[in-house]
């Protein structure tokens, strides 16, 4: 019985620890591919609540200034919060509102397609529309990181691409109790909500079609089962927890015997 008890105690002790393998990113070696591996490079299609930076340039600055908002021409000095008030937000009907042009539906369009639509509308007002240069860009990539990370919340990065590694790093890293093999990516698309599971402990994550996140994605880091056990992340913490429990049990048995 004593050996069985010690074996059971040792087994619980080993299972309660968070192992090095569970906490190590990008394990394994990259696999050489004989054929060219094509990632999912389909351009992002705009959704409701996206914010656009739109700039219009031409020789006749006074004329084109009529079509420009306060955000135009100042993207380098504008933060995400500033562009929330001065950029072009896609409303619930999928429209943006541009001075003189009015409502322009951009829901489901790419940045280049929106640029072409604006150029067509400007041609109705300008004699030489070919001399006008239009720039359309997303005002940063906004996403949410929650779960077992150091600083969960909403982030907005002024980058053309944001990888899952960028997202996790900017959210304060995964905590010791975070399951790096079970990072869930939730994405709302025009076809509905989609859910993907990513394994950051595997080097193959760099070949995943979902390595780069999209605006409005939600990244959720699931907890390890050790967190619900409350035994700690290291062997010493787990040992201390087990000793504390045993001390409590022994004290309780002695107290009952003395009554």
């Amino acid at each position: 019985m004593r050996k069985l008890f010690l074996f059971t105690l040792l087994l619980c002790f080993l299972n309660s620890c968070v192992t090095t393998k569970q906490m190590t990113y990008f394990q394994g070696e990259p696999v050489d591919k004989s054929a060219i591996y094509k990632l999912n490079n389909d351009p992002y299609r705009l959704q409701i609540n996206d914010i656009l930076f739109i700039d219009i340039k031409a020789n006749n600055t006074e004329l084109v200034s009529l079509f420009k908002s306060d955000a135009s021409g100042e993207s380098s000095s504008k933060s995400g919060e500033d562009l929330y008030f001065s950029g072009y937000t896609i409303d619930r009907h999928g429209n943006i509102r541009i001075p003189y042009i009015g409502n322009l539906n951009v829901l489901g369009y790419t940045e280049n397609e929106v640029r072409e639509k604006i150029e067509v509308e400007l041609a109705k007002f300008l004699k030489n529309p070919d001399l006008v240069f239009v720039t359309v860009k997303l005002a940063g990539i906004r996403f949410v990181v929650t779960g077992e990370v150091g600083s969960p919340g909403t982030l907005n990065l002024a980058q053309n691409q944001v990888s899952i590694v960028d997202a996790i790093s900017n959210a304060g890293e995964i905590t010791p109790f975070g399951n790096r093999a079970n990072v869930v990516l939730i994405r709302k698309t025009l076809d509905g909500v989609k859910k993907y599971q990513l394994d950051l402990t595997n080097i193959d994550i760099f070949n995943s079609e979902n390595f780069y996140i999209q605006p409005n994605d939600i990244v959720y880091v699931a907890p390890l089962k050790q967190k619900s056990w409350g035994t700690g992340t290291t062997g010493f913490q787990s040992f201390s927890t087990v000793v504390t429990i045993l001390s409590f049990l022994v004290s309780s048995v002695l107290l009952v015997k003395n009554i």
Side-chain angles (χ1 to χ4, degrees), residues 190-231:
L190 297 175
D191 299 326
V193 178
K194 297 184 179 180
K195 184 177 179 181
Y196 307 95
Q197 183 176 346
L198 305 176
D199 183 359
L200 297 187
T201 66
N202 196 320
I203 191 66
D204 286 340
I205 185 63
F206 289 93
N207 295 327
S208 171
E209 293 184 354
N210 298 301
F211 180 69
Y212 292 101
I213 68 173
Q214 294 184 4
N216 305 310
D217 278 355
I218 298 175
V219 179
Y220 171 69
V221 180
L224 290 167
K225 58 185 179 181
Q226 283 87 341
K227 182 175 183 179
S228 62
W229 295 347
T231 53

Side-chain angles (χ1 to χ4, degrees), residues 13 29 35 47 57 70 76 80 154 188 203 210 227 232 237:
F13 171 73
E29 296 295 330
Q47 300 183 43
K57 289 185 172 66
D70 294 337
S76 60
T154 301
K188 186 176 181 181
I203 191 66
N210 298 301
K227 182 175 183 179
Q237 291 175 342

Side-chain angles (χ1 to χ4, degrees), residues 1-7:
M1 289 296 294
R2 181 180 297 179
K3 291 182 178 180
L4 180 60
F5 173 75
L6 292 176
F7 176 77

Side-chain angles (χ1 to χ4, degrees), residues 33-53:
K33 297 182 181 294
S34 57
I36 298 176
Y37 186 82
K38 182 181 179 181
L39 294 176
N40 185 8
N41 287 321
D42 291 338
Y44 174 69
R45 297 196 171 273
L46 299 172
Q47 300 183 43
I48 294 172
N49 293 328
D50 282 345
I51 301 176
L52 293 176
F53 164 77

